[in-house]
Amino acid sequence: MEQATQPIQSSNKPIGFIEEVHGPVVDMVCDHLPPLHQSLFCSFEHEYYPFEVYRHLDAHRIRAIALHPTGGLKRGLPVFDSGGPLRIPVTPDCLGRMLDMFGTPLDDGPLLNAREMRNIIVSPTPLAEAVPAEGILESGIKVIDLLCPFVKGGKTGLFGGAGVGKTVLIMEFMHAIVSLHQGVSVFAGVGERIREGHELWHEMQDAGVMPRTLMMFGQMDESPGVRFLVGLSALTYAEYLRDTLGKEVLLLMDNVFRFVQAGSEISGLLGRMPATVGYQPTLMSEVAEMQERIISTRGGDITAVEAVYVPADDMTDPAVSTILAHLDTSVILSRSQAAKGIYPTVDPLQSSSKMMDRSFLGDRHYDVAKNVREHLARYQELEDIIAMLGLEALSEKDQRTVMRARKLQRYLTQPFHVMTSHTGIPGASVKLEQTLTDCEAFLRGDYDTTPETQCYMRGSMQTEP
């Protein structure tokens, strides 16, 4: 593996040597202790091995995490100081590229021609320079824009177990930010399988959004240090694009739970005692260090969409709860919705946004969303009665509510642009104004005589199905 970020002020004189190697953990003896998070390296048989300092063991020994497979390392190899913390090359030419954590191309393209280097680990933007999240960032996805809208400059989490559609939703958001807002996207694949990364790269090219997208991958087979830091590398590029282009930047992470897992691995390797449910004792601070950097300034916005794997579909898991506390919007993807054929599999009753407020959304949006949610909630309450006694056992008012709720449930499904090649159904994007108009018509009863099948998998009700 070549390293794009070669040593900054490396001297020819080593600062120490390798004492022990325990998998990705390397103990070193040094003449003087480098600071924590300093980038060190050694070379052996034309291989470049970068390290990051994590612990000072005593006055002359340090413990570092290798950011490269440690096969080939041995005791006594000299270690050199790079002269600073981990840095990556930043340039507007990064758009359209696929890179690793160090800014090295993974797409067989040329190395980035960068004049500026930025530290991966930095302090968050000062509070005085931050601007509050304001306005809705329309995604063109009906159920999300209506019931759990994205906040421009805010943080959104997609929560779900395996196979409920988190990655597909993220791909559609990337398509939306490029086509609807002419912004740029930065995608961080944290612990991705190589098959997923390869498919996603080609699908982004086929969808035509790759020229305004940067993709970064820390693959599943790499060191836990790489998987832990790749999200921070992608965030560094997002901050650079926000500050230089001044455009809407969409930061997508798939999957934040693997970031937590990598931190847990590192914590165990460093010898820390595990805490709640076996997670690292530093769980809350590690998540906060990343999330607090996702912020908007007067120069531009960073809007984050983060996929979060939910172990065993348990939303009370400590990692899930910790991530949830930092988010403005929570989109819960449900396996039961997938079983009914409802795609996207968003659970409209569990999903929520802190900005679902009349003063923020306006009276019309708030009232329509509230009425749609009430209809769907009433339908869920009556499902057991309908299953046992039939629809005829309900009052006339409840029958009407159930009929409209079923049509609304099907109306909130939608074909995606990025899935057109798989399904053969052209993708649909619906403006929020049109979604509100359609939902008002459903609630008034304008579509009471329309068959449910005509509400399923389409865009606006005003367009041909």
Side-chain angles (χ1 to χ4, degrees):
M1 173 179 133
E2 288 192 12
Q3 185 21 355
T5 55
Q6 292 299 320
I8 304 160
Q9 300 173 352
S10 171
S11 64
N12 293 325
K13 184 180 178 183
I15 65 163
F17 61 89
I18 292 176
E19 182 185 41
E20 292 184 28
V21 181
H22 305 273
V25 174
V26 180
D27 289 353
M28 304 170 184
V29 176
C30 298
D31 302 329
H32 63 275
L33 292 182
L36 293 179
H37 298 298
Q38 186 82 342
S39 175
L40 309 179
F41 69 95
C42 74
S43 297
F44 181 68
E45 293 185 352
H46 308 295
E47 281 282 356
Y48 180 82
Y49 296 89
F51 308 98
E52 185 182 13
V53 179
Y54 268 86
R55 277 186 76 178
H56 291 166
L57 299 174
D58 57 35
H60 294 285
R61 293 167 62 244
I62 62 170
R63 181 163 288 170
I65 297 291
L67 303 177
H68 184 288
T70 51
L73 287 182
K74 59 183 182 181
R75 288 180 174 181
L77 284 177
V79 176
F80 299 86
D81 190 344
S82 69
L86 285 165
R87 295 186 175 187
I88 53 174
V90 290
T91 168
D93 297 336
C94 64
L95 292 174
R97 302 299 302 275
M98 182 165 63
L99 309 173
D100 68 8
M101 187 206 100
F102 304 100
T104 308
L106 295 173
D107 53 11
D108 286 336
L111 290 173
L112 292 182
N113 183 20
R115 296 180 182 177
E116 183 184 348
M117 306 289 284
R118 284 203 177 190
N119 293 348
I120 289 177
I121 299 175
V122 295
S123 301
T125 302
L127 281 174
E129 296 176 22
V131 296
E134 56 179 30
I136 292 175
L137 183 70
E138 287 193 34
S139 65
I141 301 170
K142 295 179 287 190
V143 64
I144 286 175
D145 289 346
L146 176 67
L147 298 176
C148 42
F150 287 4
V151 182
K152 189 179 290 187
K155 295 187 277 282
T156 298
L158 306 179
F159 294 84
V164 293
K166 297 186 294 294
T167 302
V168 172
L169 258 181
I170 276 190
M171 288 161 55
E172 189 69 9
F173 296 144
M174 291 167 77
H175 186 277
I177 205 76
V178 172
S179 59
L180 297 180
H181 302 279
Q182 283 71 53
V184 296
S185 300
V186 178
F187 175 86
V190 182
E192 288 281 275
R193 302 170 186 89
I194 192 167
R195 168 186 57 79
E196 295 172 333
H198 187 264
E199 288 175 359
L200 187 61
W201 181 43
H202 283 288
E203 281 164 1
M204 289 295 98
Q205 290 174 319
D206 294 342
V209 301
M210 198 60 207
R212 300 191 64 77
T213 301
L214 165 65
M215 303 185 79
M216 299 196 74
F217 287 99
Q219 290 167 212
M220 193 172 271
D221 64 331
E222 296 195 72
S223 158
V226 170
R227 286 180 273 123
F228 185 74
L229 293 171
V230 68
L232 299 177
S233 283
L235 184 49
T236 303
Y237 276 108
E239 289 170 336
Y240 171 76
L241 293 169
R242 174 197 67 192
D243 298 340
T244 55
L245 299 183
K247 290 204 173 190
E248 190 76 51
V249 179
L250 182 66
L251 174 66
L252 304 116
M253 295 185 65
D254 188 9
N255 172 321
V256 181
F257 184 76
R258 293 194 190 125
F259 161 79
V260 172
Q261 279 184 313
S264 182
E265 283 183 55
I266 290 172
S267 183
L269 291 165
L270 293 174
R272 297 183 191 136
M273 286 289 288
T276 316
V277 198
Y279 286 109
Q280 62 270 42
T282 52
L283 171 66
M284 297 182 74
S285 60
E286 286 174 0
V287 171
E289 281 171 14
M290 173 184 284
Q291 300 291 346
E292 294 303 300
R293 283 176 60 184
I294 303 171
I295 202 163
S296 299
T297 65
R298 296 179 185 88
D301 296 323
I302 295 180
T303 303
V305 179
E306 308 168 17
V308 184
Y309 169 71
V310 181
D313 292 338
D314 178 15
M315 289 296 293
T316 63
D317 185 87
V320 175
S321 303
T322 302
I323 296 165
L324 193 61
H326 290 273
L327 303 176
D328 300 300
T329 300
S330 308
V331 179
I332 312 297
L333 304 182
S334 162
R335 211 172 294 282
S336 63
Q337 292 287 90
K340 296 173 187 172
I342 305 297
Y343 295 98
T345 59
V346 176
D347 187 319
L349 300 179
Q350 288 193 54
S351 302
S352 63
S353 174
K354 291 177 181 174
M355 300 303 183
M356 284 297 289
D357 182 84
R358 191 181 294 275
S359 61
F360 183 80
L361 298 178
D363 289 339
R364 185 189 180 205
H365 185 171
Y366 181 83
D367 289 337
V368 172
K370 176 170 167 286
N371 288 330
V372 167
R373 206 184 287 269
E374 284 174 356
H375 275 64
L376 295 172
R378 183 61 178 157
Y379 173 40
Q380 189 178 71
E381 288 172 12
L382 296 170
E383 275 185 322
D384 288 343
I385 295 173
I386 295 169
M388 289 187 292
L389 303 176
L391 191 62
E392 298 76 18
L394 303 179
S395 67
E396 188 177 329
K397 180 184 177 184
D398 280 342
Q399 285 186 35
R400 189 166 57 247
T401 299
V402 167
M403 177 183 64
R404 290 175 183 172
R406 285 177 61 88
K407 289 178 181 175
L408 280 165
Q409 188 182 55
R410 281 150 182 76
Y411 169 72
L412 293 176
T413 61
Q414 191 167 340
F416 284 165
H417 293 90
V418 294
M419 296 304 291
T420 300
S421 59
H422 298 279
T423 61
I425 305 172
S429 182
V430 184
K431 290 186 177 297
L432 174 60
E433 178 69 25
Q434 188 59 57
T435 301
L436 295 176
T437 301
D438 287 343
C439 288
E440 284 172 336
F442 276 109
L443 295 167
R444 279 196 309 268
D446 294 3
Y447 294 111
D448 282 0
T449 58
T450 303
E452 289 180 4
T453 52
Q454 289 190 21
C455 306
Y456 181 68
M457 276 294 168
R458 62 181 294 170
S460 165
M461 294 299 289
Q462 309 304 314
T463 59
E464 289 296 323

